[in-house]
Amino acid sequence: MDIAMNAPPEEKKHPLFAVLVNPINRLSDVGATLSALIFCGMVLLILSEVILRNFLGSSTEVSGEYSGYALAAMIYLGMGFSFREDAHIRITFLRERLGAMSAFVLEIGCLVFVMILSGLSCVFIWELVLTSKARNLTAYTPAETPLYIPQAIILVGMALLTLQIFARLTALIVGGFQQYKVAHDAGKN
Amino acid sequence: MNVTLVTVMLLLFGLLGSGVWIAMSLIATAGISMQLLTNMPVAKIWAQAMWNSLNSWSLAALPMFIFLGEMILRTRMSDLLFEGLRPFVQIIPGRLLHINILGSAIFAAVSGSSPATAATIGKITLRQLKEDGYDTQLSHGSLAGAGTLGLLIPPSIVLIIYGVLAEESIGQLFMAGVIPGLMVAGLCMSYVIVRVLLNPSLAPVKRQRFDLKAKLLAVVKLLPVSTLILFILGSIYSGLATPSEAAAVGAVGSVIAAALLGDLKWSNLVEAIKGTIKTSAMICFIIAGASFLAVAMGYLKLPAQVAAFIGSLGLSPYMLIAILTLFYMFLGFFLDGISMIVMTLPITLPLVVQAGFNPVWYGIFLTLVIEVGQITPPVGFNLFVIQGLTGDRLENIAMAAIPFFLLIFLTVILITLFPMIVMILPMQMAG
């Protein structure tokens, strides 16, 4: 997979990219790879349930429960990757109508805001994981899966997202206003 | 005006307007307004909402259906669809224009997304239509309009999300979308026929002839996609499989079909999975944010207050639906369909149910209203897709889509007056 998708080639030389942005991008790629593997596992699990139930009169017993965990895990682990690839949607109406400088400041503001939000989510999910572990909470299913395990996976996903937002903010600031202006003006036409 | 409502609205539209990602805007609005206006443990509810909303067996169908569409888009299956339909549209006035519509309807039956439908079909048809001298307006408009069928004809991503949030059976919602979907397709085709009969210069005069052998070959070319459709819809309708199970069978089926066509490349598979992760993460993050906002609005007692206010107006059920239609069309100028549904459902669903409408019916109504938003500027995704494919001006494409916009609108009126159009199939369903 490509590394540092959002940065033009000359910016990769900046030392911050080597120590910070590139490693974060690589972590997001690891997250995306895990997400892909979990997706494949989920498909195979549900498929085996269909085959067992309709042809062999049996059941995996856990297909419903584990595919729920698998969905949450694949989505959150893919969060850093999808943020870097600009898959998440936003309304650009205002930004397109602002001058380059205002848009640059607004973009920094947006990134700082969502970084705080994403960081807070990590703290809150961390508390949730601790509570689930301390109280030995398990799912109401025959498997009695301890809930802190799947919950810890979504914590990892949100941590990846927070890091990726931080990387984007760093790249934007290191790139500076001039570079942003070029992209902004190109987007307007 | 009440303080709670104003606070929530200011936060939500302020954040959305400043360009904060939609999912994040929803989370922030929920968290901040709860912190300001209630004494609830915000952190705990926040984390619970992010976990509970996506730990969902029903929602697991979503990435698998997205993957299925991605596979068809990236393999020869989409070209085969065009070649297979070609001989059979020759007798209908407007000929290849109908491939835009029929192709969209068929592709919609394996894919749940409207822009994906318009992109897949447009990539195959638009250039051919231009080369053969079909009218540009009619070819762009029919693609924009019929592309929206991706939302309505099952499997539909919008209906999966609606089912999860409204706690309605996704299988029933899927079946409810079939007849209205075919109706929209039928109306679009009728419109094209009438236009071409009135003005034959809109389509080239020359008719291509296909002998029996060519027609039989065409049927064979339709087999991969039609087998997938049969498996998916058949297993849901008969009760043999849940939508999530049908999605898993479809996902594996698409890989097998690609392999049989000699089209299964590692790069296709990797790209399809990457696309699946990106689209699913985008949609599911919005769902997580919306679930948190729904919980927050519940604690803020907003749905009850709005319901009491609307109740005090003494609107007739039809009047309520008319107002909601206008409201959603207005929102459609700013927001994409999925965000619109997830943000407003906690408030509008109780209103509509209270007025005596069936929740399954309301799911189809919402989907149709959102289809309209797909083809109206400035955020009509189908318009952007067609612009990307043709390089035509957005205004021209939007103009070309107007008649089809009106046809979808007509469908909204018809299902409101005759709810049986929606309800007859789900009521017959097994299980």
Side-chain angles (χ1 to χ4, degrees), chain B residues 293-309:
Chain B
L293 185 59
V295 176
M297 287 200 280
Y299 284 119
L300 296 165
K301 303 194 175 60
L302 268 184
Q305 285 171 4
V306 174
F309 170 69

Side-chain angles (χ1 to χ4, degrees), chain A residues 30-49:
Chain A
V30 174
T33 310
L34 287 173
S35 170
L37 291 175
I38 291 171
F39 173 71
C40 297
M42 176 173 85
V43 172
L44 293 179
L45 173 68
I46 299 176
L47 192 70
S48 49
E49 169 70 24

Side-chain angles (χ1 to χ4, degrees), chain A residues 53 67 76 87 89-90 121, chain B residues 19 22 46 50 57 240 245 282:
Chain A
R53 197 182 62 229
S67 47
Y76 282 106
I89 52 173
R90 60 201 297 204
S121 304
Chain B
I22 290 179
W46 181 322
M50 290 190 78
W57 147 248
L240 275 179
E245 290 170 350
M282 182 270 283

Side-chain angles (χ1 to χ4, degrees), chain A residues 14-109:
Chain A
H14 195 284
L16 269 181
F17 275 84
V19 295
L20 217 146
V21 178
N22 292 347
I24 290 176
N25 284 335
R26 227 162 289 137
L27 278 178
S28 287
D29 285 341
V30 174
T33 310
L34 287 173
S35 170
L37 291 175
I38 291 171
F39 173 71
C40 297
M42 176 173 85
V43 172
L44 293 179
L45 173 68
I46 299 176
L47 192 70
S48 49
E49 169 70 24
V50 176
I51 295 171
L52 281 177
R53 197 182 62 229
N54 286 317
F55 301 106
L56 303 169
S58 162
S59 169
T60 59
E61 309 285 350
V62 294
S63 142
E65 180 191 354
Y66 281 16
S67 47
Y69 302 149
L71 177 76
M74 86 164 265
I75 296 301
Y76 282 106
L77 287 174
M79 210 65 102
F81 168 74
S82 57
F83 185 81
R84 190 186 71 206
E85 303 268 302
D86 251 338
H88 294 276
I89 52 173
R90 60 201 297 204
I91 297 175
T92 53
F93 189 81
L94 179 64
R95 202 172 34 145
E96 282 159 9
R97 276 154 190 77
L98 287 176
M101 193 62 200
S102 323
F104 181 65
V105 174
L106 184 69
E107 183 66 5
I108 292 179

Side-chain angles (χ1 to χ4, degrees), chain A residues 79-155:
Chain A
M79 210 65 102
F81 168 74
S82 57
F83 185 81
R84 190 186 71 206
E85 303 268 302
D86 251 338
H88 294 276
I89 52 173
R90 60 201 297 204
I91 297 175
T92 53
F93 189 81
L94 179 64
R95 202 172 34 145
E96 282 159 9
R97 276 154 190 77
L98 287 176
M101 193 62 200
S102 323
F104 181 65
V105 174
L106 184 69
E107 183 66 5
I108 292 179
C110 279
L111 283 168
V112 170
F113 182 77
V114 296
M115 192 174 75
I116 295 171
L117 212 59
S118 181
L120 274 179
S121 304
C122 291
V123 176
F124 298 159
I125 296 171
W126 170 244
E127 285 166 5
L128 179 76
V129 173
L130 289 186
T131 314
S132 301
K133 179 99 175 68
R135 295 196 194 152
N136 283 324
L137 293 182
T138 57
Y140 298 115
T141 55
E144 293 190 343
T145 315
L147 283 178
Y148 76 91
I149 300 174
Q151 286 169 346
I153 299 177
I154 80 164
L155 173 63

Side-chain angles (χ1 to χ4, degrees), chain B residues 146-284:
Chain B
T148 65
L149 287 170
L151 297 183
L152 193 59
I153 294 185
S156 153
I157 288 170
V158 172
L159 289 175
I160 294 175
I161 295 167
Y162 179 86
V164 168
L165 295 177
E167 296 179 3
E168 285 296 321
S169 149
I170 294 168
Q172 289 209 350
L173 284 163
F174 276 5
M175 289 309 142
V178 173
I179 295 178
L182 294 177
M183 228 168 80
V184 172
L187 285 172
C188 291
M189 287 177 74
S190 313
Y191 173 77
V192 170
I193 293 174
V194 170
R195 283 290 305 273
V196 172
L197 286 178
L198 289 177
N199 180 2
S201 71
L202 295 174
V205 191
K206 203 179 81 203
R207 178 178 159 182
Q208 279 182 293
R209 299 266 169 199
F210 290 89
D211 56 14
L212 186 67
K213 197 179 148 204
K215 282 183 182 164
L216 285 176
L217 191 66
V219 173
V220 175
K221 285 177 176 167
L222 288 175
L223 273 180
V225 174
S226 45
T227 314
L228 279 174
I229 297 175
L230 212 67
F231 257 108
I232 295 170
L233 295 191
S235 60
I236 298 175
Y237 188 72
S238 61
L240 275 179
T242 64
S244 294
E245 290 170 350
V249 174
V252 175
S254 69
V255 176
I256 295 173
L260 291 177
L261 290 170
D263 216 8
L264 185 63
K265 289 191 282 264
W266 180 247
S267 59
N268 279 349
L269 209 55
V270 170
E271 285 307 315
I273 293 186
K274 270 195 200 172
T276 305
I277 294 176
K278 284 195 275 186
T279 311
S280 312
M282 182 270 283
I283 296 174
C284 289

